[in-house]
Amino acid sequence: MAMHIVDRRLNPSSKSLENRQRFLRRAKALVQGAVKKASQDRDIKDVLEGGEVSIPLDGMNEPRFYREGGIRDRVLPGNVKFVEGDYLQRPQSKSGRSNDAGEGDGEDAFRFVLSRDEFVDMFLDDLELPDLSKRKLAEVENEGLRRAGYTTSGSPANISVSRTVRLAMARRVALQRPRPEAIAQLETELEHCSDERRPELLAEIERLKSKMRRIPFIDPIDIRYRRFENVPKPVAQAVMFCLMDVSGSMSEHMKDLAKRFYMLLYVFLTRRYRKVEIVFIRHTDRAEEVDEQTFFHGPASGGTLVSSALQAMHEIVQSRYRPADWNIYAAQASDGDNSYADGDLSGRLLKDMILPVTQFFAYLEVGESGSHPFEMSESSLWTLYQRLRAEGAPLSMRKVNDRSEIFPVFHDLFQRRQAKERVAP
Amino acid sequence: MTDRLYEGADWDFATLQRIHDACEEIAEKELGLSVYPNQIEVITAEQMLDAYSSVGMPLYYKHWSFGKQFAHQEASYRKGLMGLAYEIVINSSPCISYLMEENTATMQTLVIAHAAFGHNHFFKNNYLFKQWTDADGILDYLDFAKGYVAQCEEKHGRAAVEQTLDAAHALMSHGVDRYPGKKSLDLRAEEKRAKERRNHEETSFNDLWRTVPTGRTKSASLLSAERRRALLGLPQENLLYFLEKAAPRLQTWQRELLRIVRHISQYFYPQGQTKVMNEGTATYVHYRIMTRLHQTGQISDGNFLEFLQSHTNVVFQPNYDDRRFSGFNPYALGFAMMQDIEKIVTDPTDEDRAWFPDIAGKGDAMAVLRDIWANYRDESFVSQFLSPRLMRHMRMFHLHDDPAVSEGIRVDAIHDERGYRRVRRVLARQYDVGLIDANVEVVDVDLAGDRRLMLKHSVLNGALLNEADAKRVLQHLADLWSYDVSLAEVDASGLVLKEHVAHPRVMAAAA
């Protein structure tokens, strides 16, 4: 009978994409909630990674008529000890419903994996961020080379000796190539042996030697070359400095506000630049570069000298991020306290060292939730930065007291930034 | 000694052709199978995952629930919780089997033997499939359904279509005719009829008719209750059918959507009733074919061992107290029963002769098996052919769980002389489709009053409907009916145990 073979492998896959999008659209509110929750527990860099989210099934369930409880009869396999008339304990006290309840529980939370893009879309969508990804700068990209495994052909310069030798050894072991020691041993034996054994030994030695010739130490098929791949290399790269006052006056709430702002900035930058590095500098009256965990959660105490952080940032820029190669962004978060004597130094550092090399410097003054920004008296840092601005320094500054203000403030900052960019290309 | 079909694990399309031909030779000459023409489609793992979420069908209309399933399956697949099936086979003519490209040559041979011959023969010959499904028309019909749904979305908005489909899906398990009607389903004609209906509406549309005041119809109260029910075809257990025909305010396209969901539900109806037999048949067939291929030297010892490993995994049956236990494995039970029947026919014991006088010692195992495959479903198959030997071998026992008995769950029968018949009867009932789904039917409509639709759930063994889900389904039902709907759960003595009522929401389609 006629039989057809059809090769469907080249058909477009992800036929389910449309259905998946419908599902996400339907579950939008729930998924967004889950994304928000997931992003809270994440580090700034991981916020974009996508990943598993779990949503309650309410509203997403597909109900059916099904029964539960009642008298149940079942036949099961694998009886070893029961005879007719035995009684088994019911699992738990629930009257034989454990099975149904168990299935129900499994359905309650629905887990699935969001791709990176879906995750970011949900994340940004929740914040009603304008579609930033479309506002890309024209980026020039260079081709770069990257190691990409091994290949059987290539230029001699790229021979991978260790891989070749390893393969050769595996082949020699597999084909049982005689070891030179074995032959040497037979030859010593030959020198001392009796006459009748001699031909036998000679034959054996000859056999081993010919086998050794047939199975070369290194065969052309063993040779492996290192393979390289062309990868686009981003020229545009950015570094993001997170400066934060961690003195005792900064509460957890304030740090959380700062973290959210940094997160947004990071998301924004990664949409614009292929490579974004983050440097965390925390300061009290001394500044230090720390990792993210320490930055947000490490304990610290002491006075407040903003200039120490600016100095530290300046040194790091000098040593690691040449302004010619890097786009430098900085965001400073503080409650506004600064030692009075430090004002001048901070102002000078900022104006002469930092602002000339940064693309963008934002100062975020965080306050306790509930306090109204206009009722607060101007802090010393705020006054200082305001004076600098009045002198024409390209500096953005905002006050934030509540989570809900983070995004509007962020959005606002970027509006201004865009305008400036157009004026001075 | 014949030539090997392939060496090692690699295969190409020529290999597949050779494998198919070799399997066909054995299937036709030795096993006497009769199959639909085969179409073998090679797909990637990703495509297999795609196929999963649309119940294995190659095309399907769009709906979010398939996306949900896909998201879920993708997550568990990526985490490694779930392997992919080696194959999916579609009851259509030609019979389509999907083969994953990752499979080794041995796996492809196994899949071809299993799906392209085992399942295929079963689809073509089993009476349930013959009666209920139209293998020739299904793919065209799905194509029509897909197009129709898309068209409706364009015309009436996605929300309205989604709402109707959601409601229809909730009633899907109650959208089948359980007893054969006057004629079997012809899906191609169905598609044509749908088109004609639409054309008729378009050509005969006359705005006058819509606005002409209809004369007072005979007061409904004049009709006797009996006559009213008869006119509406009540009681009716096919809820989707009833709504399609009788729901007063549905648009034509909504009725058509209900019809589509109902037809698809009906198409899958036999598969739910023949899991054990279908998988048993396919497994038995692949086992026979693979063994013969090995005996004739067409596959090597190594490849045969590879096959045996997969085979034993497939027919593995964990015991009831095993962590992996989740009911009877239809492959295991089905295959064991087929082998057992083979033994009864060819080499019966005295017990076999006493239990199965009709087939014991008849000699031609394939003839007996082919007859069984054609004329039984799981319930009747188990109740007639499960032998004491197999019950002993699988150590089956029967548990009776009556919540009213405080001592616990009673072991009612085990695999002994006193218990065989009872164990067999209870196991067969586990596969009885009449007992698997709740028995819900439309019993009446209050035409004189508020047009309330009345349904009845005939409660069996005190098992009530899950309340939360029943409420949701009822809500969907009320939305379609567009007046109140009530559901009474009634036990055998006529006592009402519980009552649910739902009021319709405004459907997006009303706009």
Side-chain angles (χ1 to χ4, degrees):
Chain A
M1 199 184 296
M3 189 269 283
H4 290 286
I5 303 179
V6 183
D7 188 356
R8 294 264 183 224
R9 285 172 295 181
L10 295 178
N11 280 20
S13 64
S14 61
K15 264 201 296 196
S16 303
L17 196 63
E18 159 92 25
N19 284 330
R20 185 185 168 88
Q21 282 165 346
R22 282 173 187 234
F23 162 64
L24 287 180
R25 209 161 27 232
R26 190 178 167 106
K28 192 168 174 186
L30 296 170
V31 178
Q32 269 172 358
V35 164
K36 220 160 142 189
K37 218 172 105 209
S39 56
Q40 257 164 21
D41 309 333
R42 292 186 183 192
D43 289 345
I44 291 181
K45 272 194 174 174
D46 298 339
V47 81
L48 290 181
E49 279 312 304
E52 196 178 76
V53 294
S54 146
I55 59 170
L57 259 190
D58 229 23
M60 293 306 295
N61 52 6
E62 299 159 80
R64 297 270 189 277
F65 283 136
Y66 67 90
R67 292 170 300 185
E68 56 186 13
I71 301 168
R72 290 152 49 109
D73 284 293
R74 281 189 88 181
V75 169
L76 299 168
N79 175 27
V80 271
K81 54 183 181 197
F82 305 127
V83 293
E84 191 181 327
D86 281 354
Y87 280 97
L88 278 70
Q89 278 307 304
R90 289 203 175 85
Q92 287 125 35
S93 58
K94 282 187 173 179
S95 46
R97 278 192 203 177
S98 61
N99 208 8
D100 291 353
E103 283 162 19
D105 286 344
E107 280 273 294
D108 275 346
F110 181 72
R111 307 184 73 81
F112 62 100
V113 177
L114 283 176
S115 74
R116 191 189 137 107
D117 282 345
E118 284 166 343
F119 196 91
V120 174
D121 281 348
M122 289 285 175
F123 184 76
L124 297 183
D125 201 58
D126 177 40
L127 295 163
E128 292 172 330
L129 200 65
D131 196 358
L132 293 172
S133 61
K134 284 182 188 144
R135 228 190 279 157
K136 270 191 186 161
L137 292 178
E139 283 174 19
V140 186
E141 288 191 346
N142 280 354
E143 291 279 294
L145 284 179
R146 188 177 65 184
R147 282 291 305 275
Y150 299 91
T151 167
T152 49
S153 60
S155 109
N158 287 335
I159 286 183
S160 164
V161 176
S162 61
R163 180 58 66 115
T164 303
V165 170
R166 202 188 314 162
L167 281 170
M169 176 140 79
R171 180 182 49 79
R172 292 198 305 270
V173 170
L175 298 178
Q176 296 175 327
R177 182 182 199 259
R179 292 156 61 83
E181 293 91 325
I183 295 173
Q185 195 191 342
L186 285 178
E187 275 169 347
T188 20
E189 210 176 307
L190 188 67
E191 284 169 24
H192 309 289
C193 78
S194 55
D195 282 350
E196 64 266 29
R197 194 159 146 60
R198 182 173 293 269
E200 190 189 324
L201 273 174
L202 274 173
E204 177 67 10
I205 289 171
E206 187 44 44
R207 193 183 66 78
L208 288 182
K209 278 187 170 164
S210 84
K211 190 169 184 187
M212 202 160 137
R213 276 193 301 278
R214 279 200 315 273
I215 305 170
F217 189 79
I218 289 199
D219 195 270
I221 61 164
D222 300 329
I223 298 176
R224 289 295 178 275
Y225 301 87
R226 289 188 295 270
R227 205 172 88 82
F228 292 90
E229 216 175 45
N230 285 329
V231 284
K233 200 174 181 182
V235 176
Q237 46 193 355
V239 57
M240 166 178 156
F241 283 91
C242 302
L243 312 179
M244 187 163 70
D245 177 6
V246 289
S247 63
S249 55
M250 287 284 284
S251 67
E252 279 305 313
H253 170 74
M254 295 173 175
K255 286 186 188 174
D256 182 55
L257 289 181
K259 179 172 177 179
R260 278 158 192 281
F261 186 81
Y262 295 141
M263 250 185 204
L264 272 181
L265 188 58
Y266 181 72
V267 168
F268 179 74
L269 292 178
T270 44
R271 289 237 143 175
R272 236 174 136 183
Y273 300 104
R274 278 269 184 114
K275 186 177 176 196
V276 178
E277 291 198 359
I278 309 186
V279 176
F280 295 99
I281 299 173
R282 65 172 197 173
H283 73 91
T284 52
D285 49 359
R286 289 176 299 110
E288 54 185 337
E289 185 184 353
V290 293
D291 60 29
E292 184 172 344
Q293 278 303 311
T294 326
F295 187 70
F296 288 111
H297 306 296
S301 63
T304 313
L305 285 177
V306 171
S307 60
S308 64
L310 297 176
Q311 184 64 40
M313 176 176 165
H314 175 64
E315 278 159 18
I316 292 170
V317 168
Q318 289 290 309
S319 60
R320 292 182 357 224
Y321 302 102
R322 286 200 321 148
D325 296 340
W326 292 83
N327 294 297
I328 300 172
Y329 291 79
Q332 183 188 7
S334 160
D335 57 358
D337 288 345
N338 194 17
S339 152
Y340 190 74
D342 189 47
D344 269 355
L345 179 59
S346 303
R348 264 206 319 281
L349 271 172
L350 195 63
K351 209 169 143 191
D352 302 337
M353 306 292 194
I354 306 284
L355 289 178
V357 298
T358 50
Q359 313 289 108
F360 176 74
F361 188 98
Y363 169 62
L364 194 72
E365 188 157 306
V366 288
E368 279 305 341
S369 99
S371 55
H372 198 278
F374 298 113
E375 287 164 11
M376 287 195 296
S377 59
E378 305 282 272
S379 68
S380 55
L381 209 53
W382 186 267
T383 326
L384 168 70
Y385 284 0
Q386 205 142 42
R387 206 186 69 226
L388 290 175
R389 263 173 66 91
E391 291 166 13
L395 180 70
S396 310
M397 46 201 289
R398 285 292 180 283
K399 287 183 185 176
V400 177
N401 293 319
D402 199 80
R403 277 182 195 178
S404 59
E405 296 164 23
I406 291 281
F407 178 70
V409 161
F410 180 81
H411 188 219
D412 190 29
L413 284 175
F414 267 89
Q415 292 291 341
R416 286 166 147 266
R417 167 82 188 139
Q418 289 297 312
K420 218 178 290 169
E421 216 170 41
R422 260 176 254 126
V423 176
Chain B
M1 189 79 181
T2 337
D3 287 341
R4 292 249 198 280
L5 292 169
Y6 57 87
E7 291 290 346
D10 295 338
W11 52 270
D12 54 22
F13 286 1
T15 321
L16 290 186
Q17 184 72 53
R18 275 202 304 281
I19 291 171
H20 172 270
D21 294 347
C23 290
E24 185 177 43
E25 169 94 16
I26 300 167
E28 282 185 353
K29 300 240 171 82
E30 190 178 326
L31 308 180
L33 304 186
S34 141
V35 295
Y36 291 123
N38 271 308
Q39 177 162 325
I40 286 167
E41 307 203 349
V42 181
I43 61 173
T44 61
E46 204 182 339
Q47 286 167 330
M48 184 62 105
L49 210 50
D50 271 346
Y52 264 38
S53 50
S54 49
V55 279
M57 301 312 278
L59 45 140
Y60 220 102
Y61 55 82
K62 305 277 182 224
H63 191 257
W64 63 268
S65 60
F66 307 132
K68 172 184 157 188
Q69 214 170 339
F70 179 73
H72 184 59
Q73 266 151 359
E74 191 189 23
S76 41
Y77 175 60
R78 283 199 186 164
K79 273 198 291 192
L81 292 182
M82 178 185 88
L84 291 176
Y86 300 119
E87 44 87 20
I88 286 184
V89 55
I90 294 167
N91 167 25
S92 63
S93 174
C95 176
I96 299 176
S97 323
Y98 290 140
L99 268 57
M100 270 213 293
E101 65 170 343
E102 280 88 346
N103 293 350
T104 62
T106 306
M107 288 310 300
Q108 305 294 32
T109 315
L110 167 60
V111 169
I112 289 173
H114 182 89
F117 292 96
H119 283 308
N120 191 345
H121 172 84
F122 197 80
F123 288 148
K124 189 177 172 192
N125 295 281
N126 184 267
Y127 80 106
L128 274 178
F129 286 88
K130 278 186 178 169
Q131 204 161 58
W132 289 119
T133 65
D134 172 18
D136 291 308
I138 183 65
L139 293 181
D140 288 340
Y141 188 69
L142 285 175
D143 190 36
F144 154 74
K146 187 180 173 190
Y148 189 82
V149 170
Q151 211 181 321
C152 284
E153 285 182 341
E154 221 165 86
K155 274 193 200 157
H156 310 287
R158 192 180 270 179
V161 173
E162 189 170 284
Q163 210 168 352
T164 310
L165 283 179
D166 284 356
H169 284 181
L171 297 167
M172 204 162 181
S173 54
H174 291 81
V176 288
D177 291 321
R178 293 183 201 283
Y179 308 99
K182 278 159 266 165
K183 58 187 170 124
S184 61
L185 207 56
D186 181 349
L187 290 173
R188 283 211 175 106
E190 186 59 36
E191 180 187 343
K192 212 187 288 164
R193 278 216 300 279
K195 205 176 268 167
E196 277 164 11
R197 274 197 295 277
R198 273 203 312 285
N199 285 341
H200 178 74
E201 278 158 31
E202 277 163 19
T203 52
S204 62
F205 179 76
N206 185 339
D207 210 37
L208 260 185
W209 288 119
R210 218 163 47 83
T211 47
V212 165
T214 46
R216 265 191 92 75
T217 40
K218 229 189 301 176
S219 165
S221 58
L222 291 180
L223 295 170
S224 72
E226 281 307 312
R227 195 168 138 63
R228 177 176 73 227
R229 287 195 202 117
L231 275 179
L232 287 165
L234 297 177
Q236 174 60 266
E237 59 175 359
N238 188 337
L239 304 185
L240 281 178
Y241 176 80
F242 177 80
L243 289 169
E244 178 198 327
K245 297 298 175 202
R249 291 172 65 178
L250 286 185
Q251 312 269 342
T252 322
W253 61 268
Q254 288 178 303
R255 293 181 206 278
E256 193 66 48
L257 290 184
L258 297 191
R259 199 179 174 80
I260 286 171
V261 172
R262 183 166 67 83
H263 282 326
I264 292 174
S265 180
Q266 192 79 59
Y267 169 80
F268 283 115
Y269 183 58
Q271 306 208 350
Q273 296 182 63
T274 52
K275 272 185 203 142
V276 172
M277 286 196 74
N278 206 340
E279 294 305 350
T281 303
T283 308
Y284 181 81
V285 166
H286 83 222
Y287 188 75
R288 288 282 302 260
I289 291 180
M290 294 301 281
T291 312
R292 179 66 71 231
L293 288 177
H294 177 233
Q295 278 171 358
T296 52
Q298 294 182 84
I299 56 176
S300 69
D301 292 349
N303 290 329
F304 190 64
L305 276 177
E306 185 196 345
F307 153 71
L308 283 178
Q309 198 199 349
S310 308
H311 175 76
T312 41
N313 283 340
V314 165
V315 298
F316 173 65
Q317 173 66 60
N319 283 340
Y320 76 99
D321 51 357
D322 193 304
R323 247 166 15 98
R324 292 162 291 183
F325 180 75
S326 60
F328 273 99
N329 172 357
Y331 294 83
L333 183 60
F335 180 63
M337 284 184 69
M338 300 306 169
Q339 279 205 314
D340 194 45
I341 291 168
E342 180 190 320
K343 189 165 160 31
I344 294 169
V345 175
T346 52
D347 178 21
T349 61
D350 288 345
E351 185 185 48
D352 291 337
R353 288 186 195 282
W355 278 70
F356 304 102
D358 289 348
I359 58 168
K362 253 184 125 186
D364 186 354
M366 276 320 296
V368 172
L369 281 173
R370 278 197 308 269
D371 178 59
I372 292 173
W373 294 344
N375 297 312
Y376 289 81
R377 58 184 173 144
D378 284 352
E379 186 237 339
S380 52
F381 175 61
V382 169
S383 84
Q384 297 209 26
F385 294 104
L386 182 64
S387 75
R389 176 173 47 238
L390 193 58
M391 284 185 256
R392 283 195 300 271
H393 176 70
M394 297 184 92
R395 310 190 77 89
M396 294 182 184
F397 64 115
H398 165 208
L399 289 182
H400 178 74
D401 182 7
D402 183 348
V405 176
S406 58
E407 284 101 321
I409 303 167
R410 193 180 129 87
V411 178
D412 238 24
I414 64 164
H415 43 87
D416 61 10
E417 214 51 62
R418 282 164 48 83
Y420 291 140
R421 291 197 187 274
R422 273 179 292 159
V423 168
R424 186 160 85 168
R425 193 168 57 235
V426 174
L427 185 61
R429 280 165 62 103
Q430 259 169 251
Y431 293 106
D432 185 348
V433 69
L435 301 174
I436 295 170
D437 286 322
N439 180 6
V440 177
E441 52 189 6
V442 179
V443 286
D444 206 352
V445 183
D446 183 4
L447 280 180
D450 57 3
R451 296 195 177 177
R452 173 191 292 246
L453 180 67
M454 284 171 267
L455 288 93
K456 185 176 97 176
H457 170 217
S458 309
V459 175
L460 203 71
N461 292 331
L464 295 174
L465 294 177
N466 172 286
E467 188 162 354
D469 258 33
K471 275 207 155 58
R472 292 191 189 109
V473 178
L474 223 53
Q475 182 64 60
H476 280 308
L477 198 82
D479 293 344
L480 290 177
W481 179 247
S482 66
Y483 297 97
D484 286 2
V485 173
S486 68
L487 168 66
E489 303 201 52
V490 182
D491 73 3
S493 64
L495 185 69
V496 177
L497 302 172
K498 211 170 185 180
E499 211 165 351
H500 314 263
V501 180
H503 314 288
R505 296 171 294 198
V506 181
M507 288 211 47

